[in-house]
Amino acid sequence: MPAAPPAAHDGRPPPRPAAGRRLPRTLHPVAWWIWGIGLATAVSRTTNPLLLGLVLAVLGWTVTERRTDAPWAKGFKYYLWLALTVVAVRVVFRCVFATGITPADHIVFRLPHIPTPHWYAGIQLGGPVSLEATLSAATDGLRLACLLCCIGAANTLANPKRALRVLPGALYELGVAVTVSMSVAPQLVESVQRVNRARRLRADRAKGLRALRSILIPVLEDALERSLHLAAAMDSRGYGRAGTATRASRRITGALMLVGMLGLCTGVYGLLDGTTPRSLGLPAMLGGSLLCCAGLALGGRRVRRTSYRPDPWRAPEWTVALCGCASAVVLFVTAGYSANDLNPGLYPLRWPSLPWLPAAAILLAGVASFAAPPPSRVPGAPAASARPRPAKGADSPSEALL
């Protein structure tokens, strides 16, 4: 006899999904990370602003459609602000250190020139600022901004706790440190928002430096309490125990991982840089991979853990991962279109063209927003898009304690 479905909080049975509609579930976090790294690899191959804008549109659409209600899923807008800051800093630096001006440049404005000593020759402070130099700095900054947004989208969509479960045993401690460090920024922003709402409830209208004390101290206190709770939780779960590993085995594991990572970095540099000898890239990559695998196998012996209800890897995971990999492969191979379209020149100054094959590859990455199952949300909670905005001044009872 089949079991009856669990009842909701109000006693009524949960609604059944419509025919042909997929049930909500959490996608495997590794699939989202492969998708994000694939898009980041594709971004690293181009400075075409049209393609970079298309990547940002795909990232924004996918995050909007497939993010959950978890705290880490609300941090993508902060990555966008960070990306905008990167572009602005890149442009400002290029304008201040106005070097490399050619006679063919179009001068937009002139900054006051600051004379530099002779040992600082080659770098100019101030002077004329050309349109070509500004656009070059903006496109370089936009590429770096897209890289940050790709990693931010993967960090927003993938559940960091579930990603920690699939890491090898040797990387478990490193993964915990990375997971905790990546969740610090969203938690600090959430603490600042909670303190600001509490200040509005108290009719505290101080701004500027006078408001810094009333914001900084509660935020630091909240961060300290979170740290203590996290330390207690990690200690209760046995984190930090060395197991049966000896000091010699730990040293050998560290040496294998360090040398292996150096080999991987050297191999990647040799493969990506066309001026390096061909014998440097692939052998260094293979040697570094073997050393890293040996280090992971040796270090994984001292971490004994089990996985309760492991995340499945099904067709949606394959589709999402392949969409990101296909974008990276198409832009990396540069077959079927002109390679100059990926990095259009600024001399002569003209509007960049949109190559159809790389654009189609980037749009293919957007298929992940349809292939991934809808995210599971808290029972009884409305969807993120249909969630009503709280009234100004309304707050949870716990915030009154601040």
Side-chain angles (χ1 to χ4, degrees), residues 292-309:
C292 287
C293 292
L296 291 176
L298 184 61
R301 294 180 180 178
R302 64 188 182 92
V303 179
R304 302 287 184 182
R305 58 192 178 95
T306 58
S307 179
Y308 175 67
R309 298 176 63 181

Side-chain angles (χ1 to χ4, degrees), residues 207-300:
K207 296 182 179 178
L209 295 178
R210 291 191 305 170
L212 185 61
R213 181 180 178 183
S214 60
I215 295 176
L216 186 61
I217 293 178
V219 169
L220 292 179
E221 183 180 0
D222 190 33
L224 182 60
E225 290 181 355
R226 287 172 183 262
S227 302
L228 293 177
H229 292 163
L230 177 62
M234 295 171 69
D235 183 65
S236 64
R237 287 166 173 78
Y239 174 77
R241 63 183 177 84
T244 58
T246 60
R247 179 176 297 181
S249 65
R250 289 199 296 269
R251 289 180 176 176
I252 294 175
T253 302
L256 288 175
M257 292 299 298
L258 181 60
V259 178
M261 293 301 294
L262 289 176
L264 285 177
C265 294
T266 305
V268 171
Y269 176 76
L271 291 177
L272 295 180
D273 190 1
T275 60
T276 56
R278 290 183 177 274
S279 58
L280 178 64
L282 190 59
M285 176 73 77
L286 295 178
S289 302
L290 290 177
L291 291 177
C292 287
C293 292
L296 291 176
L298 184 61

Side-chain angles (χ1 to χ4, degrees), residues 6-381:
H9 295 286
D10 55 357
R12 295 177 299 178
R16 294 180 178 275
R21 188 175 181 182
R22 291 177 297 176
L23 293 175
R25 72 176 178 90
T26 302
L27 197 75
H28 200 289
V30 175
W32 282 126
W33 275 106
I34 293 177
W35 177 80
I37 292 175
L39 265 180
T41 305
V43 166
S44 66
R45 299 288 297 174
T46 179
T47 57
N48 192 322
L50 299 179
L51 293 177
L52 295 177
L54 197 60
V55 170
L56 288 178
V58 169
L59 292 175
W61 171 261
T62 306
V63 170
T64 303
E65 290 296 317
R66 288 299 177 257
R67 68 176 179 177
T68 62
D69 295 331
W72 60 81
K74 303 176 182 177
F76 186 68
K77 59 182 179 181
Y78 303 109
Y79 286 99
L80 292 178
W81 280 110
L82 179 61
L84 186 62
T85 304
V86 167
V87 176
V89 169
R90 185 73 177 85
V91 172
V92 169
F93 267 75
R94 188 65 176 85
C95 293
V96 173
F97 298 95
T99 58
I101 302 297
T102 63
D105 288 355
H106 298 79
I107 304 301
V108 181
F109 58 90
R110 295 178 182 271
L111 294 176
H113 177 66
I114 301 177
T116 55
H118 65 280
W119 53 266
Y120 206 64
I123 299 178
Q124 181 179 353
L125 293 178
V129 178
S130 66
L131 180 60
E132 286 80 0
T134 306
L135 291 178
S136 175
T139 52
D140 287 343
L142 184 60
R143 179 168 61 175
L144 182 57
C146 287
L147 287 173
L148 290 174
C149 290
C150 289
I151 302 302
N155 191 29
T156 301
L157 295 171
N159 190 333
K161 297 178 182 178
R162 292 182 178 274
L164 186 61
R165 295 167 56 184
V166 299
L167 282 178
L171 298 179
Y172 184 73
E173 297 176 356
L174 178 62
V176 170
V178 173
T179 303
V180 172
S181 61
M182 294 180 70
S183 60
V184 167
Q187 289 182 357
L188 281 180
V189 173
E190 185 181 0
S191 298
V192 172
Q193 292 176 350
R194 293 175 62 241
V195 171
N196 284 330
R197 287 196 294 267
R199 290 179 62 244
R200 286 198 298 268
L201 288 176
R202 296 172 180 170
D204 186 0
R205 303 184 183 278
K207 296 182 179 178
L209 295 178
R210 291 191 305 170
L212 185 61
R213 181 180 178 183
S214 60
I215 295 176
L216 186 61
I217 293 178
V219 169
L220 292 179
E221 183 180 0
D222 190 33
L224 182 60
E225 290 181 355
R226 287 172 183 262
S227 302
L228 293 177
H229 292 163
L230 177 62
M234 295 171 69
D235 183 65
S236 64
R237 287 166 173 78
Y239 174 77
R241 63 183 177 84
T244 58
T246 60
R247 179 176 297 181
S249 65
R250 289 199 296 269
R251 289 180 176 176
I252 294 175
T253 302
L256 288 175
M257 292 299 298
L258 181 60
V259 178
M261 293 301 294
L262 289 176
L264 285 177
C265 294
T266 305
V268 171
Y269 176 76
L271 291 177
L272 295 180
D273 190 1
T275 60
T276 56
R278 290 183 177 274
S279 58
L280 178 64
L282 190 59
M285 176 73 77
L286 295 178
S289 302
L290 290 177
L291 291 177
C292 287
C293 292
L296 291 176
L298 184 61
R301 294 180 180 178
R302 64 188 182 92
V303 179
R304 302 287 184 182
R305 58 192 178 95
T306 58
S307 179
Y308 175 67
R309 298 176 63 181
D311 296 325
W313 186 277
R314 298 171 182 167
E317 280 80 3
W318 282 111
T319 306
V320 171
L322 290 178
C323 287
C325 293
S327 302
V329 169
V330 170
L331 269 74
F332 191 84
V333 174
T334 62
Y337 58 93
S338 175
N340 295 327
D341 293 337
L342 293 181
N343 301 288
L346 297 174
Y347 299 95
L349 195 62
R350 58 185 176 81
W351 186 258
S353 60
L354 181 63
W356 67 269
L357 187 56
I362 293 173
L363 290 177
L364 179 63
V367 176
S369 61
F370 303 98
S376 57
R377 303 186 186 280
V378 179

